[in-house]
Amino acid sequence: MKFLSVLSLSLALLVTSSCTSQAQHNELSEEEKNEGWTLLFDGETTDHWRGYNKEAFPEQGWTVEDGRLVVLSDGGGGDIITQQKYGDFELKLEWKADKGANGGIFYRAMEQPTQPIYWSAPEVQILDNENHPDAEQGENGNRKAGSLYDLIPAQPQNTNPFGQWNSVKIVADGSSIEHWQNGEKVVEYELWTNQWYEMIRNSKFLEHPEFGDAREGYIGLQDHGNRIEFRNIKVRELE
């Protein structure tokens, strides 16, 4: 009887711990609330999001599953953006990719009726580096996960494999931009400098002077036709 009691207690503690761990996703801690963080996804609704160049959230291609915001494979939903624009901010989220998946996180995006989001918005690359050919394209790994897509490679390259969660933090403070991945700063750069414009002139963004030019804009998540899951999406504006 004593053994059964101990076993029952252990199982109860395990269940409680599991529930507590799950409950911590898509929530703000008291410290985060005091620091001014806002949840962009509560695990159930998509109220903070709409389709790019659309008034409403896509009716297909995106879904909410078990506390995760999911872009489906070949769902045809298109990219999504926040309802609100952000200038100086800090964004945190976690993503998990299917095998061979490709996606991205955009920031300070303009909404242009005749142009896709990536012609204006810098992008943190999401990629299964081991199984997607884009990892070996571009230059010096600048299309691998965490990179400023097609411009600056993430260093160190510390992405977890497909099927595992990766954490991202983006800090946009005036002209200073940082990408963090799995707890390490992997990209740091300055916008609007001579070096910045030279880099753009030598890139695929040459004919898009709006790229990276906005002082504020939308946060966006890409529909690249591959399944990517997101959770714990939160943002705070910097003073």
Side-chain angles (χ1 to χ4, degrees), residues 153-225:
Q155 296 177 343
Q157 182 47 246
N158 62 352
T159 317
N160 293 324
F162 75 91
Q164 297 184 23
W165 288 101
N166 291 273
S167 68
V168 165
K169 180 173 71 172
I170 303 169
V171 181
D173 189 1
S175 62
S176 298
I177 308 294
E178 297 176 0
H179 297 182
W180 291 69
Q181 183 167 256
N182 295 325
E184 294 184 273
K185 183 163 60 177
V186 295
V187 169
E188 184 174 17
Y189 67 96
E190 291 286 329
L191 289 162
W192 319 317
T193 64
N194 290 337
Q195 291 83 356
W196 168 259
Y197 290 119
E198 181 180 0
M199 182 169 63
I200 298 306
R201 284 194 298 271
N202 294 316
S203 76
K204 64 188 292 183
F205 304 104
L206 170 63
E207 297 182 4
H208 293 273
E210 71 273 30
F211 180 80
D213 200 49
R215 270 54 176 177
E216 69 170 12
Y218 300 101
I219 294 166
L221 301 177
Q222 187 176 40
D223 177 358
H224 205 282

Side-chain angles (χ1 to χ4, degrees), residues 16-57:
T16 301
S17 175
S18 176
C19 291
T20 301
S21 176
Q22 292 178 7
Q24 290 175 350
H25 293 307
N26 307 310
E27 293 184 358
L28 295 178
S29 67
E30 288 302 316
E31 181 179 4
E32 288 174 325
K33 292 176 183 177
N34 293 333
E35 291 175 345
W37 289 89
T38 298
L39 272 180
L40 292 179
F41 176 60
D42 63 4
E44 298 178 358
T45 65
T46 58
D47 295 346
H48 288 280
W49 301 87
R50 62 180 175 86
Y52 177 72
N53 282 328
K54 299 175 182 177
E55 295 183 359
F57 192 82

